[in-house]
Amino acid sequence: MAEVLIFHHSLGLTEGIHTFADELRKEAHTVHVPDLYEGHVFTTIQDGMAYVKEIGFDEMLERGVRAAHELPSDIVYAGFSLGVLPAQKLTQTREGAIGALLFYSCVPASMFGSPWPAELPVQIHGMEADPYFVDEGDLEAARELVTSANQAELFLYPGDQHLFADSSLPSYDADATALLLERVIGFLRQFK
C-alpha cells in the first residue's frame, strides 16, 4: 500500500486532520502527519496565517521539507490548503514522488521553479464556490496543472466551504467528504 505524507491547513494539526489520516490507515496505507506548527492550533484562518507570518513563510515550508527527509522518497504527498504548498513543492522538487493529493488549494507549478512532472498522478479537490479556492487563483492554477499533466484530475464539489473535509470544524461537509474520501482511496489503490 502507499506511504502518504499529509500536511495540515492553516489552523494547525486539528482532530479532523487526524481523523482523515485514520481513514486512510483503515485502508492499510502508512500515513504520516507532521505538526508544522509545533503544537499551535487556531480557530480562524486569519489567526493561523498570522502565526505563519510570525514564524516566516519560508520556515513553514522548510519544516515540511525537513519532515519529508525522514521518510522514504517514494511517497504520496498530500496537503490541505496551506499544507498544499509543502506538498506541491516536495512533489515537484524531491526525487521519487509517486503521487500528490491537493485539497482546497493549488499554486502554479512555476512557483517551485520546475514544471509539474507530466507522468506523476495528482488529484485536486475543492468546492466550486470556495472564495479562497476560486477567487485567489487556485482554481485557475489547478486547471493549468490538469492540462499540463497526463494523470491529473480536478474535482469540484457543490458549496462554498474552504476546509470542508475537516470533521472537527464547522465548515465540515459530510457528503462532500465521503465522496472525496472515496476518490482518494481509489487514487491510492494504484500504489500497491
Side-chain angles (χ1 to χ4, degrees):
M1 302 314 274
E3 192 148 358
V4 183
L5 176 57
I6 296 177
F7 295 109
H8 61 74
H9 48 64
S10 62
L11 300 186
L13 190 51
T14 61
E15 279 305 309
I17 296 292
H18 285 295
T19 299
F20 188 91
D22 287 342
E23 289 298 318
L24 301 185
R25 289 180 183 117
K26 287 179 188 175
E27 299 294 318
H29 301 293
T30 301
V31 183
H32 307 276
V33 190
D35 185 354
L36 303 184
Y37 280 10
E38 300 176 335
H40 297 279
V41 178
F42 301 95
T43 56
T44 70
I45 292 171
Q46 293 76 16
D47 289 345
M49 292 308 296
Y51 177 72
V52 170
K53 287 179 184 170
E54 181 183 313
I55 64 169
F57 191 76
D58 289 339
E59 170 60 19
M60 195 277 305
L61 274 174
E62 191 54 37
R63 288 178 184 183
V65 170
R66 285 194 301 265
H69 282 304
E70 301 171 7
L71 301 172
S73 59
D74 56 338
I75 199 164
V76 174
Y77 295 103
F80 288 89
S81 190
L82 178 69
V84 162
L85 294 172
Q88 194 170 334
K89 176 181 180 170
L90 286 159
T91 301
Q92 289 184 226
T93 63
R94 186 177 185 225
E95 189 72 30
I98 61 171
L101 295 161
L102 310 178
F103 305 108
Y104 332 130
S105 185
C106 185
V107 297
S110 60
M111 181 174 176
F112 302 113
S114 64
W116 185 265
E119 298 303 321
L120 190 81
V122 58
Q123 280 188 350
I124 307 163
H125 301 262
M127 282 199 160
E128 62 190 6
D130 167 9
Y132 292 100
F133 187 67
V134 175
D135 299 339
E136 294 185 4
D138 297 73
L139 178 58
E140 183 179 323
R143 287 183 170 141
E144 286 176 17
L145 194 155
V146 167
T147 61
S148 71
N150 297 331
Q151 299 181 62
E153 296 176 288
L154 170 60
F155 297 107
L156 295 176
Y157 301 82
D160 61 0
Q161 295 302 307
H162 186 55
L163 307 176
F164 70 88
D166 186 322
S167 60
S168 65
L169 300 177
S171 55
Y172 177 63
D173 183 313
D175 292 337
T177 300
L179 182 54
L180 179 149
L181 268 169
E182 180 182 315
R183 289 169 167 163
V184 166
I185 288 166
F187 176 84
L188 292 175
R189 284 194 184 114
Q190 69 186 297
F191 306 113
K192 291 183 178 182

